[in-house]
Amino acid sequence: MITTTGLTKVYQSRGREVTALDGVDLHVREGEVFGVIGQSGAGKSSLIRCVNLLERPTSGTVTVAGQDLTALAGRGRRAGKELREARSRIGMVFQHFNLLASRTVRDNVELPLEILGVTGRERTRKALELLDLVGLADKAKAYPGQLSGGQKQRVGIARALAGDPKVLLSDEATSALDPETTRSILQLLRDLNQQLGLTVLLITHEMDVVKTICDSAALMQKGRIVESGTVGDLLATPGSELAHELFPVGGTASGPDRTVVDVTFHGDAAGRPVISQLSRTYNIDISILGAAMDTVGGKQIGRMRIELPGRFEENVVPIGFLREQGLQAEVVETASVTVPAPLTKEVAK
């Protein structure tokens, strides 16, 4: 549904060039919720604004629903009209809501329809229908100043859906909200994704957002995507930075002649007592140094850091047993010497 190829964005700032995007290749499948995560300055906002050409890329291409938007940019009146029509099929939700204070909630939702030339009666019908969809049917005549932050964001989402988009872009839509409101907005986005078949591309700096609703994710650093794939595949990838951030586990070896292993559980293996079986089968004492478990996409997924007695060479068979059970077992420390993590590689999409 969304593809960027070699996407580059360079800004001019105080006489020097600043590269916000450096050859970004992104692939978002139809109907999925895709999260782009990274620290401030990683290039996330530039990326999402280039997807609907609010920012024009310096180079590279952006294709949405099979249409190359970059080919429409700046090529005459007809291309400009085609670009506006293409943008109308891409909804955008902003961090700070961007509602017009002088308009009622219903009028704010009607605004894009008004721009598109939809008649008054049809605009009203559509706006009320969307407000009902986001749970604000009783707030149609209220003004933004009378709403809570979560309600304002629901109005922003309703407005973004006015043009019946195939794609919904979310630019840090929950970062200004409290945790409980964030959960309700994320659930709304997931419900809309499933009910309307929307493809959702969201950017965030919060790992919980990725864990809660994303099917796939990408990690951005310094204008580049350094890791991407389905959440399940990322969790099963040795050395994945996203996996370590999504399910952090701590603890180091308690002494010499110990092997520390990070074990990732996903799928059916998450519900089986594999660690107990390992202890009984090989008659070894296993220390649990840390663990994190959660439900992602309706499935239990988690990581556990365990300590095995003996050096790595003495634990090849027990570690092999874990892998035979369908678990990802990554040795992170042995005999008090850290094992270098494998180079992070992009997961096949």
Side-chain angles (χ1 to χ4, degrees), residues 11-12 17 27 52 59 129 177:
Y11 296 98
Q12 299 293 329
E17 292 186 344
H27 304 275
N52 62 2
S59 62
E129 178 184 292
L177 306 175

Side-chain angles (χ1 to χ4, degrees), residues 60-180:
T61 61
V62 177
T63 303
V64 178
Q67 186 173 31
D68 183 357
L69 301 189
T70 41
L72 303 178
R75 295 191 179 180
R77 183 176 299 176
R78 181 178 177 183
K81 180 182 178 183
E82 290 176 344
L83 179 58
R84 287 193 298 273
E85 290 175 351
R87 278 200 187 120
S88 72
R89 296 188 290 273
I90 303 173
M92 184 81 169
V93 183
F94 301 92
Q95 177 181 359
H96 297 297
F97 322 130
N98 291 3
L99 302 179
L100 297 177
S102 60
R103 284 187 172 230
T104 65
V105 165
R106 193 195 76 191
D107 289 340
N108 268 279
V109 178
E110 285 188 25
L111 181 59
L113 297 171
E114 185 179 327
I115 294 171
L116 290 171
V118 178
T119 61
R121 182 175 296 179
E122 177 61 18
R123 287 202 309 265
T124 298
R125 184 199 64 78
K126 183 71 172 180
L128 293 176
E129 178 184 292
L130 290 170
L131 287 171
D132 184 53
L133 184 64
V134 301
L136 289 181
D138 60 333
K139 299 293 184 181
K141 295 181 180 179
Y143 286 86
Q146 299 171 302
L147 305 180
S148 67
Q151 290 172 330
K152 289 177 183 177
Q153 195 56 284
R154 287 174 181 267
V155 176
I157 292 171
R159 180 183 58 189
L161 298 175
D164 295 321
K166 296 181 178 180
V167 170
L168 184 65
L169 307 180
S170 169
D171 186 0
E172 297 275 14
T174 60
S175 64
L177 306 175
D178 63 76
E180 184 177 350

Side-chain angles (χ1 to χ4, degrees), residues 7-88:
L7 198 63
T8 300
K9 179 62 180 179
V10 179
Y11 296 98
Q12 299 293 329
S13 176
R14 297 180 181 178
R16 65 188 184 93
E17 292 186 344
V18 177
T19 301
L21 300 176
D22 188 6
V24 172
D25 294 334
L26 181 72
H27 304 275
V28 181
R29 294 173 298 186
E30 183 176 2
E32 74 174 343
V33 179
F34 193 107
V36 178
I37 192 161
Q39 297 300 317
S40 296
K44 308 185 302 298
S45 290
S46 294
L47 172 61
I48 204 166
R49 290 172 67 85
C50 281
V51 168
N52 62 2
L53 262 65
L54 286 176
E55 294 280 357
R56 299 203 176 193
T58 304
S59 62
T61 61
V62 177
T63 303
V64 178
Q67 186 173 31
D68 183 357
L69 301 189
T70 41
L72 303 178
R75 295 191 179 180
R77 183 176 299 176
R78 181 178 177 183
K81 180 182 178 183
E82 290 176 344
L83 179 58
R84 287 193 298 273
E85 290 175 351
R87 278 200 187 120
S88 72

Side-chain angles (χ1 to χ4, degrees), residues 240-303:
S240 166
E241 291 184 46
L242 268 173
H244 284 264
E245 291 293 334
L246 284 169
F247 293 92
V249 288
T252 58
S254 60
D257 296 330
R258 296 289 189 274
T259 300
V260 177
V261 182
D262 280 354
V263 182
T264 301
F265 300 80
H266 52 89
D268 295 337
R272 292 188 277 113
V274 179
I275 301 301
S276 299
Q277 292 174 8
L278 175 66
S279 179
R280 290 196 303 268
T281 301
Y282 296 98
N283 194 28
I284 55 177
D285 294 326
I286 300 172
S287 298
I288 297 176
L289 304 179
M293 184 78 74
D294 211 331
T295 301
V296 178
K299 298 180 180 179
Q300 273 202 320
I301 297 177
R303 297 177 69 243

